[in-house]
Amino acid sequence: EDKVVQSPLSLVVHEGDTVTLNCSYEVTNFRSLLWYKQEKKAPTFLFMLTSSGIEKKSGRLSSILDKKELFSILNITATQTGDSAVYLCAAGGTSYGKLTFGQGTILTVHP
Amino acid sequence: GAGVSQSPSNKVTEKGKDVELRCDPISGHTALYWYRQSLGQGLEFLIYFQGNSAPDKSGLPSDRFSAERTGGSVSTLTIQRTQQEDSAVYLCASSFRPPGQGRKETQYFGPGTRLLVL
């Protein structure tokens, strides 16, 4: 059975801190790993990673995939209160369209 | 419309009743997905439609759950004889193409339907 595990489950930091969120996966015929940010209901897409070692970057957020060790990290530098959210990691495998999600990391950024 | 829409936004029902949840995907998106999110949990895959292909129903938790997609656009998720454990937020997403098939595979999520079974 496909599995995605995120850590930590929750994280509390102060504005300006840098955080690293972890995601490990076991997915048959792995194709892609995705990160989402969920603030209220609808998750919003952040990154999709398919190749090892290539960092994807968007502003203060970046992510990288290690297909040998089966994990990905999401980094957020100079955190702001608006970064407070649940960050979800998902992996896609054999079945097109079927993503397996991790349980999420709850990030709280205090002023 | 500009994004994925879902209705109703909230639904309260009594145990044993049937409910229908609706999803309107982004126009032109061929792939449509249903997920369920229980309190404090990640998203649980339910079902996936891709064009005219047979849907991937492997995530449906029981035969009380069914979904259809009419005309390749609007989808309805039906839960029969609801149970209290069905209480969750039901999220729908759509994408131009499924993940891993190259560009335009990003899933765009709707706001969800919060279902409460009393």
Side-chain angles (χ1 to χ4, degrees):
Chain A
E1 186 180 327
D2 294 345
K3 189 165 74 170
V4 174
V5 177
Q6 293 184 244
S7 64
L9 293 181
S10 66
L11 193 52
V12 180
V13 299
H14 290 281
E15 271 192 322
D17 289 349
T18 293
V19 298
T20 298
L21 310 182
N22 303 292
C23 174
S24 64
Y25 62 90
E26 293 176 28
V27 172
T28 304
N29 294 332
F30 171 83
R31 296 184 192 278
S32 57
L33 187 133
L34 296 92
W35 284 96
Y36 289 86
K37 178 182 181 182
Q38 186 176 29
E39 292 179 85
K40 292 194 177 172
K41 278 188 185 175
T44 53
F45 172 80
L46 294 175
F47 298 110
M48 188 181 84
L49 303 146
T50 56
S51 302
S52 268
I54 298 175
E55 185 184 52
K56 292 225 173 172
K57 207 167 164 58
S58 176
R60 297 176 294 102
L61 277 67
S62 64
S63 183
I64 198 160
L65 175 68
D66 185 329
K67 289 169 77 172
K68 184 179 175 187
E69 300 297 331
L70 308 182
F71 78 90
S72 173
I73 60 172
L74 175 68
N75 276 321
I76 308 175
T77 59
T79 51
Q80 301 172 356
T81 54
D83 295 329
S84 296
V86 177
Y87 289 83
L88 296 167
C89 169
T94 302
S95 173
Y96 279 115
K98 180 179 176 180
L99 292 178
T100 301
F101 279 80
Q103 68 275 56
T105 293
I106 303 171
L107 175 64
T108 304
V109 182
H110 288 308
Chain B
V4 178
S5 61
Q6 291 186 246
S7 61
S9 54
N10 291 282
K11 176 74 177 177
V12 181
T13 191
E14 292 179 350
K15 178 181 169 180
K17 296 280 178 73
D18 297 352
V19 295
E20 280 190 357
L21 312 180
R22 178 188 167 104
C23 172
D24 276 279
I26 293 172
S27 178
H29 280 192
T30 61
L32 186 146
Y33 318 76
W34 283 98
Y35 294 90
R36 176 169 72 173
Q37 188 172 33
S38 301
L39 190 64
Q41 301 297 311
L43 275 68
E44 175 190 4
F45 168 82
L46 297 177
I47 189 169
Y48 155 62
F49 296 90
Q50 172 56 40
N52 295 321
S53 303
D56 178 349
K57 304 181 184 180
S58 59
L60 294 178
S62 78
D63 58 8
R64 296 186 295 105
F65 287 72
S66 63
E68 61 178 24
R69 188 178 184 194
T70 52
S73 180
V74 171
S75 177
T76 303
L77 177 70
T78 302
I79 309 173
Q80 296 178 307
R81 305 181 302 281
T82 51
Q83 304 293 313
Q84 288 180 332
E85 60 262 29
D86 299 335
S87 297
V89 175
Y90 289 82
L91 289 159
C92 173
S94 71
S95 66
F96 190 74
R97 290 200 179 97
Q101 285 196 346
R103 291 187 174 186
K104 301 184 181 180
E105 68 288 301
T106 302
Q107 292 188 22
Y108 294 89
F109 282 82
T113 293
R114 187 176 298 277
L115 175 65
L116 178 60
V117 182
L118 299 176

